[in-house]
Amino acid sequence: MIVNFFTHVRSLLGIVFIVPYTAVCACFVVLTGSLGLDKLATRLVKGWGDVLLFIFGIKIVAEGEGNLPARGGAIIVFNHQSHFDIPAICTMTTKNIRFGAKIELFKIPMFGAAMRAVGTLPIARENRTDVFRVYKEAEARFAKDFIFVLAPEGTRQSEPKLGRFKKGPFLFARNAGVPIVPVVIKGAHAVLPKKSLGINIGRWSRTVYVKVLPPVDSKPFEAANLEPFVEAVRVKMVEAYDKLPG
């Protein structure tokens, strides 16, 4: 009962702090991103994530970062169950990772500008043509070793299990000739489930597990028939997710 009360207080105070803190971080990200200081912008985003997780008592246990390519870029696909998936991925590596985000988020003052400055991909879910245009324009950035992070489920899941995968990220990988790197996250759903406002309620601390799986080469698969590619990756992710603690 006491823990429940104080975690509600922590959640409220944490949100009050995080809003202006995120705005300040966004200003610096806009500056560094506009100047082309990609590595510094990446470290600022990682630092933002570290503080966010610390405030709400969340520990990240990550393994498999060595599966991320050192050169040439890649596309990370991850199971999406919580807004806290994003800081969990941000804090696991210092590589230049950039997310895809629904286009509505780009309308938020400063936050949207920061996303544009670092090269976040604006995803218009209802406009397939525009999504693939964005993907095509982003292909050149793989040569600069960027890694894009996309949620193949398309949106956060209401339950702690993997949903159906869409083909978009896989076609992006196939057309660009880069690998898919599957990442599974377990525990973030309990931190902040979909449609919940309270963050990490009822626990002083909580562990979120992040596992990076070996990359899957996109080149053997045909763009006209992506089902085997999608299914091969999803099977690997479901198996890995089930084996994680929690």
Side-chain angles (χ1 to χ4, degrees), residues 26 29-30 33-34 38 98-99 101-108 110-123 130 133-134 141:
V29 169
V30 169
S34 300
D38 295 323
R98 298 293 185 266
F99 288 81
K102 60 183 181 180
I103 199 166
E104 291 82 2
L105 293 176
F106 287 79
K107 298 177 182 178
I108 301 174
M110 288 310 303
F111 185 69
M115 290 197 297
R116 290 190 185 279
V118 297
T120 302
L121 303 180
I123 306 299
D130 191 59
R133 177 190 59 78
V134 169
R141 297 170 67 194

Side-chain angles (χ1 to χ4, degrees), residues 38-116:
D38 295 323
K39 277 291 184 183
L40 182 54
T42 297
R43 291 187 178 276
L44 285 170
V45 173
K46 182 180 184 303
W48 166 82
D50 286 332
V51 171
L52 184 68
L53 295 169
F54 174 78
I55 286 174
F56 295 106
I58 302 159
K59 177 184 178 183
I60 302 298
V61 174
E63 62 174 301
E65 187 196 355
N67 287 321
L68 295 174
R71 294 285 183 271
I75 295 173
I76 286 176
V77 294
F78 71 103
N79 60 300
H80 196 14
Q81 298 174 1
S82 168
H83 285 311
F84 275 79
D85 296 330
I86 283 76
I89 293 175
C90 286
T91 58
M92 76 172 185
T93 182
T94 57
K95 294 184 182 295
N96 281 329
I97 60 173
R98 298 293 185 266
F99 288 81
K102 60 183 181 180
I103 199 166
E104 291 82 2
L105 293 176
F106 287 79
K107 298 177 182 178
I108 301 174
M110 288 310 303
F111 185 69
M115 290 197 297
R116 290 190 185 279

Side-chain angles (χ1 to χ4, degrees), residues 139-160:
E139 287 182 14
R141 297 170 67 194
F142 290 120
K144 298 181 180 180
D145 304 329
F146 276 86
I147 298 173
F148 289 106
V149 184
L150 299 169
E153 295 156 309
T155 187
R156 285 171 294 146
Q157 300 302 294
S158 300
E159 299 179 14

